């Protein structure tokens, strides 16, 4: 009961409880958003391997909303997340740069000045 007699202790307790609750809400919201993005990605028709005509660059769009790009002999040269909206794709690389592209046909992707073809 001594704590209740100390207004500062009560205020600190309220702040800690509120911060803990807000942290849990933010964590749940992030998890829900992540699951929603993953659920969308898992069913997207553009998932799979995309390759330049010369086979030098291979980019796999994964059902987790991630991508993995190989260049020449460098496996996983670039990795990050992707979001497809209609025929447009946005990339956020793990190193911090961003890029985008356009699916001009069902099996053709224009990205970074290059043309990728769906690997069959």
């Amino acid at each position: 009961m001594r704590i209740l007699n100390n207004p500062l202790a009560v205020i600190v307790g309220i702040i800690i409880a509120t911060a803990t609750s807000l942290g849990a809400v933010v964590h749940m919201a992030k998890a829900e958003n992540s699951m929603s993005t993953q659920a969308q990605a898992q069913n997207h028709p553009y998932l799979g391997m995309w390759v330049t005509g010369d086979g030098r660059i291979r980019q796999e769009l994964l059902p987790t909303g991630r991508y993995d790009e190989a260049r020449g002999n460098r496996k996983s040269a670039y990795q990050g997340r992707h979001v497809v909206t209609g025929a447009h794709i946005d990339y956020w690389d793990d190193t911090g740069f961003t890029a985008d592209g356009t699916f001009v046909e069902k099996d053709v992707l224009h990205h970074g000045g290059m043309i990728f073809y769906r690997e069959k």
Side-chain angles (χ1 to χ4, degrees):
M1 290 291 168
R2 290 160 108 193
I3 294 174
L4 294 177
N5 292 334
N6 183 344
L8 183 57
V10 171
I11 291 171
V12 168
I14 291 171
I15 290 171
I16 290 171
T18 302
T20 302
S21 296
L22 288 175
V25 168
V26 168
H27 179 74
M28 287 173 25
K30 284 182 180 178
E32 184 177 311
N33 185 38
S34 176
M35 286 187 291
S36 173
T37 300
Q38 288 178 4
Q40 284 179 325
Q42 288 174 356
N43 297 321
H44 205 282
Y46 294 127
L47 293 178
M49 186 65 74
W50 294 84
V51 184
T52 55
D54 61 5
R56 192 177 83 73
I57 301 175
R58 303 174 56 78
Q59 183 181 90
E60 186 173 12
L61 302 179
L62 302 166
T64 59
R66 304 272 303 160
Y67 73 90
D68 191 324
E69 183 175 302
R71 291 189 173 230
N73 294 329
R74 289 178 41 208
K75 292 183 179 182
S76 300
Y78 297 100
Q79 295 177 317
R81 66 184 182 92
H82 69 85
V83 172
V84 177
T85 308
H88 183 85
I89 184 168
D90 288 296
Y91 300 89
W92 292 270
D93 187 82
D94 290 343
T95 64
F97 72 84
T98 61
D100 66 350
T102 303
F103 296 94
V104 295
E105 295 177 25
K106 183 177 121 182
D107 296 327
V108 180
L109 166 63
H110 288 189
H111 161 63
M114 298 173 281
I115 301 173
F116 288 81
Y117 301 93
R118 182 190 301 275
E119 184 176 75
K120 293 186 179 190

